[in-house]
Amino acid sequence: MKKTDYELLLKTIGSPKEYSDGLYLVYIELYKTTKTFKKIISKHCTILSELEFGYICEVNMQGIPEIARSLALKNHAIYQIVRLGKITK
């Protein structure tokens, strides 16, 4: 089996220890989208697009757990949060 070089991938997905202002494109999947969810999520990031079951957002690394925490405190289920990649400007 061919050994895959994950170094480039790991450089673009970031690390939980990152405290920079760097932004990431993130997909947050819920069981539906509502004004309530949008309000909670938008406190921590910029929502770029609303989809049927979630949101595409621009967020810094430390905002990701804050989104999860804010939704969980209101007893809202999160089905997945996917870091799609670092946004370079």
Side-chain angles (χ1 to χ4, degrees):
M1 188 178 259
K2 182 181 173 187
K3 183 179 176 184
T4 305
D5 183 11
Y6 294 106
E7 190 173 323
L8 178 61
L9 177 63
L10 293 173
K11 285 181 182 179
T12 61
I13 63 169
S15 159
K17 295 181 180 182
E18 182 181 327
Y19 288 91
S20 75
D21 291 331
L23 294 174
Y24 291 84
L25 193 62
V26 173
Y27 171 62
I28 302 166
E29 186 176 80
L30 310 164
Y31 67 93
K32 64 179 179 178
T33 57
T34 67
K35 289 181 184 179
T36 302
F37 293 152
K38 195 171 188 174
K39 184 177 177 183
I40 292 169
I41 293 168
S42 66
K43 290 179 183 179
H44 306 287
C45 65
T46 301
I47 296 174
L48 301 176
S49 182
E50 183 174 324
L51 306 171
E52 184 178 3
F53 295 107
Y55 302 92
I56 301 287
C57 304
E58 193 176 70
V59 62
N60 65 36
M61 186 65 71
Q62 297 306 316
I64 296 170
E66 292 300 319
I67 292 168
R69 181 178 177 275
S70 294
L71 289 166
L73 285 173
K74 299 288 186 179
N75 203 30
H76 298 303
I78 302 164
Y79 287 86
Q80 65 178 326
I81 297 178
V82 180
R83 254 182 304 160
L84 301 170
K86 189 166 188 168
I87 298 171
T88 56
K89 293 185 182 187

